[in-house]
Amino acid sequence: MLRIEESESEYVDDFADACEIGELVRGDVYEGKWGIAFYVARWFSERRSEIELLVVSAPGAPHGSYCSLAFRYGADKLQLVEPAGIWIDWSPTALPISLREANSFHIGARDRALDIAAFILEADNAIREYAKK
């Protein structure tokens, strides 16, 4: 069973790519006692922007790498996007998976990240409240 721990939400006005106040949310996703991913999301309430969500999956093997997949959520649709399509870059920490790679070489990672992203949209209180509006 998935659960979120250490979820935080704050208003931020110093994004490098925007000069407006946005909401930034982050948290850790656990399955049982194991941390399987963490996430960072942002949106701008005033203009009713889409939610940009980065899911960083923990390695499945001891010597594996963290990998990240980027999503946008709006109009009741969760869409996988290119990592460069959202504001945050975790490439120093996690291997970004492109759309082409996600739909060919890394289908399992894509499917798992989609499940985690859908869970986050429902389970993170701040994201869920914004998505309802």
Side-chain angles (χ1 to χ4, degrees):
M1 175 171 214
L2 298 178
R3 72 180 187 288
I4 293 176
E5 289 191 7
E6 299 183 32
S7 177
E8 298 177 16
S9 173
E10 63 183 301
Y11 291 101
V12 177
D13 64 355
D14 64 349
F15 292 112
D17 67 335
C19 57
E20 60 189 304
I21 296 174
E23 191 156 355
L24 180 69
V25 176
R26 60 185 153 264
D28 300 323
V29 179
Y30 283 80
E31 187 168 38
K33 63 180 182 173
W34 304 107
I36 60 167
F38 63 91
Y39 63 95
V40 181
R42 83 159 180 185
W43 62 87
F44 299 95
S45 296
E46 267 190 40
R47 65 174 151 104
R48 295 290 308 145
S49 72
E50 293 179 316
I51 297 169
E52 297 176 331
L53 172 63
L54 183 75
V55 175
V56 179
S57 298
H63 299 291
S65 299
Y66 284 86
C67 62
S68 64
L69 288 107
F71 299 91
R72 286 188 184 277
Y73 178 78
D76 291 329
K77 183 178 177 186
L78 179 63
Q79 181 178 4
L80 184 65
V81 297
E82 286 293 340
I86 65 172
W87 92 106
I88 193 165
D89 178 15
W90 275 92
S91 58
T93 306
L95 174 70
I97 297 178
S98 71
L99 280 173
R100 184 182 64 76
E101 292 169 331
N103 290 318
S104 57
F105 305 116
H106 300 291
I107 292 173
R110 179 203 63 198
D111 291 348
R112 181 71 170 155
L114 277 167
D115 290 344
I116 292 169
F119 170 74
I120 292 165
L121 291 171
E122 286 294 319
D124 184 285
N125 293 332
I127 294 174
R128 185 178 63 244
E129 288 301 313
Y130 179 72
K132 276 198 235 177
K133 295 179 184 178

